[in-house]
Amino acid sequence: MSKKVFIFDLDGVIVDTAKYHFLAWQKLAQELGIEFTPEHNEELKGVSRVRSLDIILNLGNIQATQEEKDKWLKDKNELYLSYLVDMDQSELLPGVVAVLKFLKANNQLIALGSASKNARPILEKTNIIHYFDAIVDGNDVSNAKPDPEVFLRACQLVGVAPEDSIVFEDSVAGIQAANTAKMKSIGIGEKEILHEAEYIFSDFTMINEQFIKSLMN
Ligand code: BG6
Ligand code: MG
């Protein structure tokens, strides 16, 4: 039986931070007079900070200088981080820790594959960083999801082939990245949005041990 790696996205999969990204972008959009809805926000999930700003500016048909963009990116990140100051394990999404524990108990490799540059402090604050055999985040890659770079790096780091990698994702871009890399894609969220995933669950409490065991084989 070949070795497997279970690669987790961070925002919206492990922690409930997708809502904070949304709130921070929404405030900026409001200031710029751009309408920014939860539907628009789906396009930003899994997407890098820089690309997210471009998508929002496009929505409002706004041209900006690099200086303005840099300021807005900084403002957005500062507001986002202010939501995380008191972050602790209570922000972990339901069932995540049970799955991490089950994987470790069964000697499986675990990796992080996130677009976020804030990933490490979040894993530390929520006290789960020790579960991860490899961490690849927005500081390590140059191509954002749907490019598979982040997931390919993660499986390389632990010496596992892409075909033996399993990805948990809440974003359309992330599911596409996993599919392009020929990894098993598991959507965490709504069926209507994540229909390109091989399997879809509303959250980790819906994933039973038998299913995870079937992924190990
Ligand atoms: C992804 C989120 O995980 O990380 C995106 O889904 C976010 O919404 C991206 O823009 C970059 O995160 P950060 O923390 O570097 O701004
Ligand atoms: Mg995500």
Side-chain angles (χ1 to χ4, degrees), residues 9-15 17-18 21 44-47 113-115 145 168-172 174 188:
D9 172 49
L10 178 71
D11 297 306
V13 167
I14 292 180
V15 276
T17 41
H21 280 295
L44 267 54
K45 286 188 180 171
V47 170
S114 167
K145 300 169 189 174
F168 295 106
E169 256 293 346
D170 71 316
S171 72
V172 175
I188 302 293

PDB file of all heavy atoms in Angstrom, residues 9-15 17-18 21 44-47 113-115 145 168-172 174 188, ligand 2:
ATOM      1  N   ASP A   9      -6.614  22.610   3.223  1.00  0.00           N
ATOM      2  CA  ASP A   9      -6.648  24.059   3.075  1.00  0.00           C
ATOM      3  C   ASP A   9      -6.881  24.623   4.487  1.00  0.00           C
ATOM      4  O   ASP A   9      -7.240  23.875   5.402  1.00  0.00           O
ATOM      5  CB  ASP A   9      -7.797  24.432   2.129  1.00  0.00           C
ATOM      6  CG  ASP A   9      -8.029  25.921   2.070  1.00  0.00           C
ATOM      7  OD1 ASP A   9      -7.049  26.664   1.890  1.00  0.00           O
ATOM      8  OD2 ASP A   9      -9.192  26.355   2.224  1.00  0.00           O
ATOM      9  N   LEU A  10      -6.657  25.906   4.676  1.00  0.00           N
ATOM     10  CA  LEU A  10      -6.808  26.479   6.028  1.00  0.00           C
ATOM     11  C   LEU A  10      -8.142  27.226   6.202  1.00  0.00           C
ATOM     12  O   LEU A  10      -9.056  26.752   6.881  1.00  0.00           O
ATOM     13  CB  LEU A  10      -5.638  27.433   6.302  1.00  0.00           C
ATOM     14  CG  LEU A  10      -5.698  28.146   7.650  1.00  0.00           C
ATOM     15  CD1 LEU A  10      -5.428  27.188   8.797  1.00  0.00           C
ATOM     16  CD2 LEU A  10      -4.691  29.298   7.688  1.00  0.00           C
ATOM     17  N   ASP A  11      -8.233  28.391   5.533  1.00  0.00           N
ATOM     18  CA  ASP A  11      -9.404  29.258   5.724  1.00  0.00           C
ATOM     19  C   ASP A  11     -10.668  28.587   5.206  1.00  0.00           C
ATOM     20  O   ASP A  11     -10.758  28.238   4.032  1.00  0.00           O
ATOM     21  CB  ASP A  11      -9.195  30.583   4.969  1.00  0.00           C
ATOM     22  CG  ASP A  11      -8.008  31.370   5.497  1.00  0.00           C
ATOM     23  OD1 ASP A  11      -7.964  31.631   6.706  1.00  0.00           O
ATOM     24  OD2 ASP A  11      -7.120  31.720   4.697  1.00  0.00           O
ATOM     25  N   GLY A  12     -11.635  28.409   6.088  1.00  0.00           N
ATOM     26  CA  GLY A  12     -12.907  27.817   5.671  1.00  0.00           C
ATOM     27  C   GLY A  12     -12.920  26.298   5.712  1.00  0.00           C
ATOM     28  O   GLY A  12     -13.956  25.674   5.493  1.00  0.00           O
ATOM     29  N   VAL A  13     -11.747  25.693   5.994  1.00  0.00           N
ATOM     30  CA  VAL A  13     -11.674  24.228   6.114  1.00  0.00           C
ATOM     31  C   VAL A  13     -11.291  23.857   7.551  1.00  0.00           C
ATOM     32  O   VAL A  13     -11.978  23.081   8.213  1.00  0.00           O
ATOM     33  CB  VAL A  13     -10.675  23.623   5.103  1.00  0.00           C
ATOM     34  CG1 VAL A  13     -10.370  22.170   5.425  1.00  0.00           C
ATOM     35  CG2 VAL A  13     -11.248  23.737   3.697  1.00  0.00           C
ATOM     36  N   ILE A  14     -10.190  24.453   8.021  1.00  0.00           N
ATOM     37  CA  ILE A  14      -9.735  24.165   9.385  1.00  0.00           C
ATOM     38  C   ILE A  14     -10.307  25.197  10.358  1.00  0.00           C
ATOM     39  O   ILE A  14     -10.767  24.855  11.440  1.00  0.00           O
ATOM     40  CB  ILE A  14      -8.186  24.185   9.449  1.00  0.00           C
ATOM     41  CG1 ILE A  14      -7.627  23.006   8.650  1.00  0.00           C
ATOM     42  CG2 ILE A  14      -7.715  24.152  10.895  1.00  0.00           C
ATOM     43  CD1 ILE A  14      -6.116  22.932   8.639  1.00  0.00           C
ATOM     44  N   VAL A  15     -10.238  26.440   9.957  1.00  0.00           N
ATOM     45  CA  VAL A  15     -10.737  27.515  10.828  1.00  0.00           C
ATOM     46  C   VAL A  15     -11.806  28.339  10.118  1.00  0.00           C
ATOM     47  O   VAL A  15     -11.809  28.465   8.898  1.00  0.00           O
ATOM     48  CB  VAL A  15      -9.602  28.480  11.286  1.00  0.00           C
ATOM     49  CG1 VAL A  15      -8.881  27.937  12.487  1.00  0.00           C
ATOM     50  CG2 VAL A  15      -8.642  28.774  10.152  1.00  0.00           C
ATOM     51  N   THR A  17     -12.274  31.271   9.347  1.00  0.00           N
ATOM     52  CA  THR A  17     -11.743  32.610   9.064  1.00  0.00           C
ATOM     53  C   THR A  17     -12.277  33.199   7.767  1.00  0.00           C
ATOM     54  O   THR A  17     -12.077  34.389   7.517  1.00  0.00           O
ATOM     55  CB  THR A  17     -10.205  32.560   8.968  1.00  0.00           C
ATOM     56  OG1 THR A  17      -9.876  31.371   8.249  1.00  0.00           O
ATOM     57  CG2 THR A  17      -9.544  32.562  10.317  1.00  0.00           C
ATOM     58  N   ALA A  18     -12.941  32.371   6.945  1.00  0.00           N
ATOM     59  CA  ALA A  18     -13.447  32.882   5.662  1.00  0.00           C
ATOM     60  C   ALA A  18     -14.361  34.087   5.924  1.00  0.00           C
ATOM     61  O   ALA A  18     -14.352  35.063   5.171  1.00  0.00           O
ATOM     62  CB  ALA A  18     -14.183  31.779   4.915  1.00  0.00           C
ATOM     63  N   HIS A  21     -12.187  37.206   6.424  1.00  0.00           N
ATOM     64  CA  HIS A  21     -11.684  37.729   5.142  1.00  0.00           C
ATOM     65  C   HIS A  21     -12.806  38.516   4.464  1.00  0.00           C
ATOM     66  O   HIS A  21     -12.593  39.620   3.961  1.00  0.00           O
ATOM     67  CB  HIS A  21     -11.250  36.577   4.224  1.00  0.00           C
ATOM     68  CG  HIS A  21      -9.894  36.023   4.533  1.00  0.00           C
ATOM     69  ND1 HIS A  21      -8.736  36.750   4.398  1.00  0.00           N
ATOM     70  CD2 HIS A  21      -9.501  34.800   4.959  1.00  0.00           C
ATOM     71  CE1 HIS A  21      -7.688  36.007   4.722  1.00  0.00           C
ATOM     72  NE2 HIS A  21      -8.127  34.813   5.072  1.00  0.00           N
ATOM     73  N   LEU A  44     -13.401  34.910  -4.353  1.00  0.00           N
ATOM     74  CA  LEU A  44     -12.168  35.282  -3.637  1.00  0.00           C
ATOM     75  C   LEU A  44     -11.617  34.142  -2.792  1.00  0.00           C
ATOM     76  O   LEU A  44     -10.463  34.171  -2.374  1.00  0.00           O
ATOM     77  CB  LEU A  44     -12.445  36.477  -2.706  1.00  0.00           C
ATOM     78  CG  LEU A  44     -12.180  37.872  -3.278  1.00  0.00           C
ATOM     79  CD1 LEU A  44     -12.916  38.090  -4.560  1.00  0.00           C
ATOM     80  CD2 LEU A  44     -12.532  38.924  -2.255  1.00  0.00           C
ATOM     81  N   LYS A  45     -12.453  33.149  -2.527  1.00  0.00           N
ATOM     82  CA  LYS A  45     -12.011  32.057  -1.655  1.00  0.00           C
ATOM     83  C   LYS A  45     -10.853  31.295  -2.297  1.00  0.00           C
ATOM     84  O   LYS A  45     -10.934  30.926  -3.468  1.00  0.00           O
ATOM     85  CB  LYS A  45     -13.170  31.105  -1.349  1.00  0.00           C
ATOM     86  CG  LYS A  45     -14.158  31.696  -0.367  1.00  0.00           C
ATOM     87  CD  LYS A  45     -15.182  30.679   0.079  1.00  0.00           C
ATOM     88  CE  LYS A  45     -16.159  31.309   1.069  1.00  0.00           C
ATOM     89  NZ  LYS A  45     -17.288  30.413   1.346  1.00  0.00           N
ATOM     90  N   GLY A  46      -9.810  31.079  -1.528  1.00  0.00           N
ATOM     91  CA  GLY A  46      -8.657  30.341  -2.026  1.00  0.00           C
ATOM     92  C   GLY A  46      -7.712  31.186  -2.876  1.00  0.00           C
ATOM     93  O   GLY A  46      -6.645  30.738  -3.264  1.00  0.00           O
ATOM     94  N   VAL A  47      -8.123  32.406  -3.140  1.00  0.00           N
ATOM     95  CA  VAL A  47      -7.370  33.285  -4.046  1.00  0.00           C
ATOM     96  C   VAL A  47      -6.439  34.183  -3.222  1.00  0.00           C
ATOM     97  O   VAL A  47      -6.786  34.588  -2.109  1.00  0.00           O
ATOM     98  CB  VAL A  47      -8.404  34.125  -4.859  1.00  0.00           C
ATOM     99  CG1 VAL A  47      -7.744  35.226  -5.629  1.00  0.00           C
ATOM    100  CG2 VAL A  47      -9.196  33.209  -5.775  1.00  0.00           C
ATOM    101  N   GLY A 113      -1.980  23.196   2.792  1.00  0.00           N
ATOM    102  CA  GLY A 113      -1.817  23.814   1.472  1.00  0.00           C
ATOM    103  C   GLY A 113      -2.728  25.020   1.386  1.00  0.00           C
ATOM    104  O   GLY A 113      -3.870  24.916   0.973  1.00  0.00           O
ATOM    105  N   SER A 114      -2.192  26.171   1.820  1.00  0.00           N
ATOM    106  CA  SER A 114      -3.038  27.374   1.930  1.00  0.00           C
ATOM    107  C   SER A 114      -2.455  28.548   1.161  1.00  0.00           C
ATOM    108  O   SER A 114      -1.239  28.701   1.077  1.00  0.00           O
ATOM    109  CB  SER A 114      -3.155  27.759   3.409  1.00  0.00           C
ATOM    110  OG  SER A 114      -3.689  29.050   3.541  1.00  0.00           O
ATOM    111  N   ALA A 115      -3.321  29.402   0.656  1.00  0.00           N
ATOM    112  CA  ALA A 115      -2.880  30.621  -0.032  1.00  0.00           C
ATOM    113  C   ALA A 115      -2.516  31.725   0.958  1.00  0.00           C
ATOM    114  O   ALA A 115      -1.929  32.735   0.586  1.00  0.00           O
ATOM    115  CB  ALA A 115      -3.999  31.122  -0.942  1.00  0.00           C
ATOM    116  N   LYS A 145      -3.845  29.289  -6.359  1.00  0.00           N
ATOM    117  CA  LYS A 145      -4.919  28.397  -6.800  1.00  0.00           C
ATOM    118  C   LYS A 145      -5.795  29.183  -7.781  1.00  0.00           C
ATOM    119  O   LYS A 145      -5.989  30.369  -7.555  1.00  0.00           O
ATOM    120  CB  LYS A 145      -5.771  27.957  -5.605  1.00  0.00           C
ATOM    121  CG  LYS A 145      -5.002  27.201  -4.525  1.00  0.00           C
ATOM    122  CD  LYS A 145      -5.862  27.056  -3.271  1.00  0.00           C
ATOM    123  CE  LYS A 145      -5.039  26.508  -2.109  1.00  0.00           C
ATOM    124  NZ  LYS A 145      -5.763  26.464  -0.838  1.00  0.00           N
ATOM    125  N   PHE A 168      -8.521  18.514   1.089  1.00  0.00           N
ATOM    126  CA  PHE A 168      -9.770  19.045   1.649  1.00  0.00           C
ATOM    127  C   PHE A 168      -9.835  20.541   1.351  1.00  0.00           C
ATOM    128  O   PHE A 168      -8.935  21.288   1.746  1.00  0.00           O
ATOM    129  CB  PHE A 168      -9.820  18.842   3.166  1.00  0.00           C
ATOM    130  CG  PHE A 168      -9.866  17.400   3.586  1.00  0.00           C
ATOM    131  CD1 PHE A 168      -8.750  16.788   4.142  1.00  0.00           C
ATOM    132  CD2 PHE A 168     -11.032  16.648   3.435  1.00  0.00           C
ATOM    133  CE1 PHE A 168      -8.791  15.454   4.552  1.00  0.00           C
ATOM    134  CE2 PHE A 168     -11.081  15.309   3.831  1.00  0.00           C
ATOM    135  CZ  PHE A 168      -9.961  14.710   4.393  1.00  0.00           C
ATOM    136  N   GLU A 169     -10.864  20.986   0.696  1.00  0.00           N
ATOM    137  CA  GLU A 169     -10.961  22.368   0.219  1.00  0.00           C
ATOM    138  C   GLU A 169     -12.374  22.928   0.329  1.00  0.00           C
ATOM    139  O   GLU A 169     -13.341  22.202   0.126  1.00  0.00           O
ATOM    140  CB  GLU A 169     -10.592  22.411  -1.278  1.00  0.00           C
ATOM    141  CG  GLU A 169      -9.231  22.954  -1.583  1.00  0.00           C
ATOM    142  CD  GLU A 169      -9.037  24.429  -1.266  1.00  0.00           C
ATOM    143  OE1 GLU A 169     -10.028  25.136  -1.048  1.00  0.00           O
ATOM    144  OE2 GLU A 169      -7.881  24.879  -1.242  1.00  0.00           O
ATOM    145  N   ASP A 170     -12.474  24.227   0.606  1.00  0.00           N
ATOM    146  CA  ASP A 170     -13.799  24.870   0.607  1.00  0.00           C
ATOM    147  C   ASP A 170     -13.979  25.802  -0.583  1.00  0.00           C
ATOM    148  O   ASP A 170     -15.022  26.424  -0.718  1.00  0.00           O
ATOM    149  CB  ASP A 170     -14.012  25.674   1.896  1.00  0.00           C
ATOM    150  CG  ASP A 170     -13.157  26.932   1.928  1.00  0.00           C
ATOM    151  OD1 ASP A 170     -11.967  26.849   1.560  1.00  0.00           O
ATOM    152  OD2 ASP A 170     -13.676  27.999   2.294  1.00  0.00           O
ATOM    153  N   SER A 171     -12.934  25.941  -1.426  1.00  0.00           N
ATOM    154  CA  SER A 171     -13.046  26.910  -2.519  1.00  0.00           C
ATOM    155  C   SER A 171     -13.069  26.218  -3.878  1.00  0.00           C
ATOM    156  O   SER A 171     -12.476  25.146  -4.058  1.00  0.00           O
ATOM    157  CB  SER A 171     -11.863  27.885  -2.473  1.00  0.00           C
ATOM    158  OG  SER A 171     -10.678  27.237  -2.882  1.00  0.00           O
ATOM    159  N   VAL A 172     -13.732  26.852  -4.816  1.00  0.00           N
ATOM    160  CA  VAL A 172     -13.781  26.339  -6.187  1.00  0.00           C
ATOM    161  C   VAL A 172     -12.362  26.299  -6.766  1.00  0.00           C
ATOM    162  O   VAL A 172     -11.942  25.298  -7.357  1.00  0.00           O
ATOM    163  CB  VAL A 172     -14.701  27.234  -7.066  1.00  0.00           C
ATOM    164  CG1 VAL A 172     -14.666  26.787  -8.512  1.00  0.00           C
ATOM    165  CG2 VAL A 172     -16.128  27.217  -6.521  1.00  0.00           C
ATOM    166  N   GLY A 174      -9.580  25.978  -5.238  1.00  0.00           N
ATOM    167  CA  GLY A 174      -8.800  24.919  -4.599  1.00  0.00           C
ATOM    168  C   GLY A 174      -9.172  23.540  -5.120  1.00  0.00           C
ATOM    169  O   GLY A 174      -8.299  22.673  -5.301  1.00  0.00           O
ATOM    170  N   ILE A 188     -15.471  20.780   1.132  1.00  0.00           N
ATOM    171  CA  ILE A 188     -16.107  20.992   2.434  1.00  0.00           C
ATOM    172  C   ILE A 188     -16.968  22.242   2.264  1.00  0.00           C
ATOM    173  O   ILE A 188     -16.458  23.360   2.185  1.00  0.00           O
ATOM    174  CB  ILE A 188     -15.049  21.228   3.550  1.00  0.00           C
ATOM    175  CG1 ILE A 188     -14.076  20.047   3.638  1.00  0.00           C
ATOM    176  CG2 ILE A 188     -15.730  21.491   4.885  1.00  0.00           C
ATOM    177  CD1 ILE A 188     -14.658  18.742   4.120  1.00  0.00           C
TER     178      ILE A 188
HETATM  179 MG    MG B   2     -10.293  28.031   1.941  1.00  0.00          MG
END
